[in-house]
RNA sequence: GCGCCAGUAGCUCAGUCGGAUAGAGCGUCGGUCUACGAAACCGAAGGUCACAGGUUCGAAUCCUGUCUGGCGCGCCA
C-alpha cells in the first residue's frame, strides 16, 4: 500500500483548524521545514494566505490558531510548541513521539513510501532516444537515454501505465547510404577495392558490421558489390540495420535502459499508413498542393510556416512519416504521448502538435520534453567531438570510461532544460569527489550497521529528547513523497537526484553525531527506524534513476 | 531578424504553485578516526541571483525591456 508523508496528516489537521479560525471554507496550508532550523521543525504561512479572504490581520489569525493546535484532532501529542513569528508565520516544534511514530511508519512502508501519487494515473507512451540505426549512440543519446529511462521509471512508480518506445528511422536515403557503406567495407574484407561513398558512413564501426555480416553470408555477395547491384544493397542495408540495432539495444541494456517496442518507419511506408495519413490531411483541408508539392498547413496550428509533406518529385518527407507515426500513436488509447527530443529538434514541436490537432486530438496530449546538449570536459578543456574525425564519444565509450552508475547519475543530476558540461575527471574519480559515491556510500554504511543489529527493541516508546541531526534526517525523509511527486509532475528526474544528495548529507551528519548500537532502548529504536527508512528511500531513489544501491563498496 | 533554453559562489549546478539570513558537490584554508565504514564529518573564506524597471506585506522565483551564451529557423533527417 502506498504511504504518504507523515507530515501530510498534520497539514490536513492544520488546514481544518485554520479554516475554522478564519471562517473560510478552504485553507491552502503549506507546512514545511523552515529555512532556518532554529525556527522549529515545521512552519506554515497559512495565516498570511487566509488573511485576505478573512479580512483579518494575519498575526491575529495566527495567534488564535496556535492556541487551538496542541489539542486539535490529529495533532494532540505531536505538538511540543507552536509560536507566531514575523508577519504571521507559525512555527511548530514536534514532539519526540511524532518523530518516533513517523520513523516507524516510513521504515515499515518500505518501497511503497512515496509510490502511486500520480493524480490522475494515466496511460502514457514515452518515446525516447530513437537514434538513427546507422551508427552507435553517442553522449547526447546517453543523456536522452538516462533522462527518458529515469522519467519512465518515475512515471511508472507514480502509478502511470507506461510504454517505452524507440522509433527506428530505417527508411530513405540515409539507409541506402548506410547499405552502400556496409557493402563497401564488406568488399574490402574480400580484398576488393570498394570505397565507402563520399557522403557515406566512414566510421570504423561500419567495418565491424561488415565483418559480422560476412560471418552470416560468407562470400556469397563477392561478385555483387563492385559495382553493387540494387538487390545486394538492399540486403546490406537491411541486415546492417538489424545488426546495428541489435548492438544499440545491447549497449542501452548495459546502460540499464530498456524499451517495450521498436517501431519501424519502414512499416509505415510499406503498410500504406503514410499514404493514408496524407490523404486524411487532404480530406480535412489541412494539406494542399503548391508548386507540385504537398504542403501541411501547420500555420493553422501555430507553426511559423507550412511544411512540405510530399516533394515535387513525388517522394515523401520525414514529416510525412511522422504524421503517420503520430496519428498511429495518438490512436492507441494512451492519454498522453511524450516525445523526448534533443535541443536541435525543438523547432519540430509545433509540427508535431499540428499533427495531433489535425488528427482531431487534443494537442495537449502531446508533451515534448527537450533535452539540452551535454558537452564533455577533460583536463579543464572541452573535449572536441566530431563525427567526421571519428572522435565522437559513444555511449559505450562513456560507460567503459566512467561506469554506468556515475554516467547515469551525472547525466540525470542536472535539469534536462539546462545545457551542461560533464567533467570526465570528476566522473571518473572513484573517491570522495564523485557525488554518486556520496549517496551510495550512505547506503552501504547503513547496510553495514543493520547487518550487525538485526532488530529494534519492541515497545520502547519515544525517547525523551532528540538530537538536531535526528530531526533534520527525519524531516528530509518526510519530504521524499513530495520530491517524487514533483519529479513526476515536472517530468524532472533531476529532482530525485538532488533529493538523494540532500538525504545523504543529512544521513552522514546524523551518523557522526548519533550512535545507534548500545544506546538506551527508546533511543536505539528510533535510530534503527531512521536507518531502515533512510536505507529504503536511498535504494528506491537510486533505483528510479537507474543507479545501483550497493551494500558494500 | 524570429523562436526555444539558459545566465545564481573560483568551477559544475540545485533552488521555478512568490516566503524568514539564497544552497549543494568540487576547489581553497583550518580541524576530527582507541566505540556502528574517514568514499565521512565539523568550521572558515567565497554571492550587485546578468542589467534596468514594474507588480506587493514580501521577488532568484511573476510581468516588461535590454545585454550575453547555446540551439533552431531546408521540397535534410
Amino acid at each position: 500500500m502506498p504511504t504518504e508523508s507523515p507530515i501530510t496528516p498534520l497539514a490536513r489537521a492544520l488546514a481544518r483548524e485554520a479554516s475554522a479560525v478564519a471562517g473560510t471554507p478552504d485553507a491552502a496550508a503549506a507546512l514545511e521545514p523552515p529555512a532556518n532550523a532554529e525556527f522549529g521543525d515545521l512552519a506554515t504561512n497559512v495565516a498570511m494566505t487566509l488573511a485576505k479572504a478573512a479580512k483579518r490581520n494575519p498575526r491575529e489569525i495566527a495567534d488564535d490558531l496556535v492556541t487551538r493546535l496542541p489539542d486539535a484532532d490529529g495533532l494532540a501529542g505531536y505538538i511540543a510548541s507552536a509560536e507566531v513569528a514575523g508577519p504571521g508565520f507559525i512555527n511548530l516544534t514536534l514532539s519526540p513521539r511524532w518523530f518516533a511514530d513517523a520513523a516507524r511508519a516510513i521504515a515499515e512502508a518500505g518501497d511503497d513510501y512515496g509510490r502511486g501519487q500520480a493524480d490522475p494515473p494515466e496511460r502514457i507512451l514515452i518515446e525516447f532516444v530513437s537514434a538513427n540505426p546507422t551508427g552507435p549512440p553517442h553522449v547526447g543519446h546517453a543523456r536522452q537515454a538516462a533522462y527518458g529511462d529515469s522519467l519512465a521509471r518515475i512515471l511508472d512508480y507514480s502509478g502511470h501505465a507506461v510504454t517505452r518506445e524507440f522509433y527506428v528511422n530505417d527508411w530513405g536515403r540515409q539507409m541506402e547510404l548506410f547499405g552502400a557503406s556496409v557493402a563497401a567495407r564488406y568488399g574490402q574484407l574480400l580484398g576488393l577495392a570498394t570505397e565507402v561513398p563520399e557522403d557515406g558512413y566512414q566510421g570504423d564501426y561500419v567495418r565491424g558490421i561488415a565483418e559480422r555480416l560476412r560471418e552470416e553470408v560468407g562470400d556469397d555477395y563477392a561478385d555483387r558489390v563492385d559495382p553493387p547491384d540494387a538487390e545486394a544493397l538492399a540486403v546490406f542495408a537491411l541486415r546492417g540495420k538489424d545488426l546495428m540495432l541489435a548492438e544499440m539495444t545491447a549497449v542501452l541494456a548495459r546502460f540499464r535502459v530498456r524499451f517495450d517496442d521498436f517501431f519501424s518507419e519502414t512499416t509505415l511506408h510499406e503498410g500504406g499508413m503514410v499514404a493514408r495519413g496524407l490523404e486524411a490531411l487532404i480530406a480535412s483541408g489541412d494539406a494542399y498542393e503548391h508548386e507540385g508539392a504537398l504542403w501541411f498547413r501547420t500555420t493553422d496550428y501555430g507553426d511559423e510556416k507550412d511544411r512540405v509533406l510530399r516533394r515535387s518529385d513525388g517522394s515523401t518527407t520525414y514529416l510525412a512519416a511522422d504524421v503517420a507515426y503520430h496519428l498511429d500513436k495518438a490512436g492507441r488509447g494512451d492519454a498522453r504521448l511524450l516525445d523526448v527530443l534533443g535541443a536541435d529538434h525543438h523547432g519540430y514541436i509545433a509540427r508535431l502538435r499540428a499533427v495531433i490537432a489535425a488528427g482531431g486530438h487534443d494537442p495537449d496530449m502531446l508533451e515534448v520534453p527537450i533535452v539540452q546538449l551535454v558537452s564533455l570536459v577533460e583536463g579543464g578543456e572541452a573535449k572536441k567531438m566530431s563525427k567526421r574525425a571519428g572522435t565522437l564519444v559513444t555511449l559505450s565509450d562513456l560507460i567503459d570510461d566512467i561506469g554506468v552508475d556515475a554516467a547515469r547519475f551525472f547525466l540525470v543530476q542536472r535539469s534536462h532544460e539546462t545545457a551542461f558540461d560533464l567533467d570526465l575527471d570528476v566522473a571518473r574519480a572513484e573517491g570522495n569527489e564523485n557525488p554518486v559515491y556520496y549517496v551510495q556510500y550512505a547506503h552501504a554504511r547503513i547496510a553495514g550497521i543493520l547487518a550487525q543489529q538485526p532488530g529494534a527493541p519492541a515497545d520502547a516508546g519515544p525517547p525523551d529528547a532528540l538530537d538536531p541531526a535526528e530531526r533534520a534526517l527525519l524531516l528530509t525523509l518526510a519530504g521524499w513523497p513530495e520530491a517524487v511527486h514533483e519529479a513526476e509532475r515536472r517530468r524532472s528526474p533531476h529532482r530525485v537526484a538532488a533529493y538523494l544528495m540532500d538525504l545523504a548529507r543529512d544521513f552522514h551528519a546524523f551518523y557522526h553525531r548519533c550512535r545507534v548500537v548500545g544506546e538506551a532502548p527508546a533511543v536505539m529504536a528510533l535510530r534503527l527506524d531512521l536507518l531502515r527508512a533512510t536505507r529504503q528511500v536511498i535504494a528506491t531513489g537510486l533505483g528510479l534513476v537507474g543507479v545501483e544501491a550497493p551494500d558494500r563498496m
Side-chain angles (χ1 to χ4, degrees), chain A residues 455-474:
Chain A
D459 299 325
D464 295 332
L466 291 166
D467 188 274
E470 292 176 294
R471 290 179 184 268
L473 179 58
L474 186 79

Side-chain angles (χ1 to χ4, degrees), chain A residues 338-351:
Chain A
L338 264 60
D339 283 13
V340 177
L341 297 181
D344 54 345
H345 282 68
H346 73 250
Y348 212 67
I349 298 174
R351 263 161 275 183

